[in-house]
Amino acid sequence: MNMKWKVVFVAVLMAGVSLTACVDQQASILLQGSVVGDAESEGFLCSYTLDMDNPGLVYTQGFVDLESLATIGQPRTPLEGSAGAANVYEFAAMYQNQLVDSRQVGAEGGGGGGGGFSNLPLNQNDVIVTSATITFPADDNTFGFAGGAAALEDVEYERVFSMLVRSGGGVGVNNIPLINGQQEADLFRDFLTANSVTSRPLTFVAEIQLHGETMAGNDVESNIFRFPIQVCVDCGTRTQPLCTTSVEVDDDDDDDEE
């Protein structure tokens, strides 16, 4: 993992702030947001509807309780026992290749490998998404309170992965860590504790952008997606799960099983 640390986090007070996730601009890759999967059984395996027009439930903001994130991780579902990795909070990014379908270019024309254009590869507009940049901008994460200092620079991480999305509307989903390990979780914890904010959340704003390359060798990027995250040290609440579930759970039955 390639991480670049610049400064400690600073926060925006939750009170009086109205923040929602949003899409900033058009791009070769359209990033939809943090979609919510569905776990249809007690196996806790999430499934996603790969439809950008009807993605199902999408989170407009995140919630992290650092204590529960450290002890049980981010739950896969609201069910007990569906724990994730400790100190890892993920954003389920759904994105679509907006480039024209290179397999159909000139399809009604003459011969050639590109459906009418000689020497045009059929998959030239397919995109391999190779990384995501997670940025906590200084301008959006600055609020002077209880001795808090203003940030001078952004906080930025790079998450590396690989996913092929076909041209003409191909869709992919990746779980991208916004918090990845104890060191990153401690940046939030140390800041909140130093400012005596432990039992209530403050809102941090993450900017998420995907990067990749077409099969023709051209660099492409997604829109920048802004995602507010409420973070507390110990609210007594589990961190926001990745998925919902259609499994009904009887609390009394759970107690009996335990």
Side-chain angles (χ1 to χ4, degrees), residues 134-150:
I134 311 301
T135 306
F136 289 84
D139 289 346
D140 290 330
N141 290 284
T142 301
F143 198 97
F145 72 100

Side-chain angles (χ1 to χ4, degrees), residues 105-217:
V105 174
E108 297 180 359
F117 292 88
S118 179
N119 300 320
L120 179 65
L122 287 172
N123 62 349
Q124 68 167 357
N125 281 350
D126 288 357
V127 169
I128 298 179
V129 181
T130 56
S131 66
T133 301
I134 311 301
T135 306
F136 289 84
D139 289 346
D140 290 330
N141 290 284
T142 301
F143 198 97
F145 72 100
L152 300 178
E153 298 183 69
D154 299 343
V155 176
E156 185 176 295
Y157 312 114
E158 183 182 13
R159 314 301 192 198
V160 178
F161 59 94
S162 184
M163 173 68 80
L164 174 67
V165 282
R166 293 188 179 276
S167 60
V171 178
V173 173
N174 274 92
N175 291 340
I176 300 173
L178 302 187
I179 300 174
N180 195 25
Q182 182 175 346
Q183 188 176 19
E184 294 183 16
D186 282 347
L187 288 181
F188 292 93
R189 183 180 289 104
D190 293 346
F191 177 82
L192 294 170
T193 301
N195 288 281
S196 301
V197 182
T198 56
S199 61
R200 60 184 177 86
L202 294 181
T203 299
F204 297 79
V205 181
E207 291 188 348
I208 303 151
Q209 185 173 37
L210 305 179
H211 308 274
E213 183 176 284
T214 68
M215 297 299 287

Side-chain angles (χ1 to χ4, degrees), residues 11 35 61 64 81 84 107 126 196 223 253:
V35 294
Q61 60 182 342
V64 174
D126 288 357
S196 301
N223 52 289
D253 289 344

Side-chain angles (χ1 to χ4, degrees), residues 4 9 24 49 66 68 76 79 83 91 116 118 128 133-134 141 154 163 175 177 181 193-195 213 221 226 228 248:
K4 181 166 57 178
F9 286 97
D24 284 346
T49 302
L66 294 171
S68 73
R76 304 295 94 178
L79 298 177
F91 176 96
S118 179
I128 298 179
T133 301
I134 311 301
N141 290 284
D154 299 343
M163 173 68 80
N175 291 340
T193 301
N195 288 281
E213 183 176 284
E221 295 180 332
R226 291 165 52 83
E248 294 184 2

Side-chain angles (χ1 to χ4, degrees), residues 74-96:
Q74 181 181 17
R76 304 295 94 178
T77 77
L79 298 177
E80 295 292 338
S82 61
N87 293 304
V88 175
Y89 174 71
E90 295 178 320
F91 176 96
M94 179 180 284
Y95 47 90
Q96 184 176 54

